[in-house]
Amino acid sequence: MKKQTQVRLEEDVLAAGKAAAAARRLDFNKYVERLIVEDTTGARAAGMAAAQRLIDEHGSFLDDLEEQVDAPYAQLGTPYVQPRPGAAA
């Protein structure tokens, strides 16, 4: 059985949450529910640790791959934006 609750969020936080939910093709309630479940069961921490291991082990490969993907655009004169560290992952 589901219970209803109410939370108050800053407008920009709510907008960011709704955008993140939409990007995942979830309604906002399901998105929030998943965040809570992932956080309280350790699933989120395990996923973040796995992502960090991937970056640690293959980060240079991913950075090289990103450069190769961006290379054709650089040749067209499209401005290249320097990625943030770890942005390839």
Side-chain angles (χ1 to χ4, degrees), residues 37-75:
V37 168
E38 290 171 0
D39 188 48
T40 59
T41 63
R44 185 170 186 78
M48 295 302 289
Q52 188 60 57
R53 282 193 306 276
L54 179 73
I55 291 169
D56 292 345
E57 294 174 16
H58 305 288
S60 62
F61 169 77
L62 296 171
D63 288 340
D64 291 344
L65 182 61
E66 185 176 35
E67 285 180 25
Q68 291 174 20
V69 169
D70 288 340
Y73 299 104
Q75 292 173 357

Side-chain angles (χ1 to χ4, degrees), residues 1-82:
M1 182 162 106
K2 293 200 178 214
K3 293 276 196 167
Q4 185 172 343
T5 190
Q6 182 178 16
V7 296
R8 295 179 192 275
L9 302 171
E10 295 291 332
E11 282 186 44
D12 57 335
V13 173
L14 178 60
K18 286 185 175 186
R24 290 163 179 79
R25 297 185 177 155
L26 297 171
D27 67 58
F28 183 70
N29 288 328
K30 185 55 121 177
Y31 173 71
V32 170
E33 183 178 9
R34 282 190 181 182
L35 286 177
I36 293 169
V37 168
E38 290 171 0
D39 188 48
T40 59
T41 63
R44 185 170 186 78
M48 295 302 289
Q52 188 60 57
R53 282 193 306 276
L54 179 73
I55 291 169
D56 292 345
E57 294 174 16
H58 305 288
S60 62
F61 169 77
L62 296 171
D63 288 340
D64 291 344
L65 182 61
E66 185 176 35
E67 285 180 25
Q68 291 174 20
V69 169
D70 288 340
Y73 299 104
Q75 292 173 357
L76 295 173
T78 304
Y80 178 75
V81 177
Q82 183 68 28

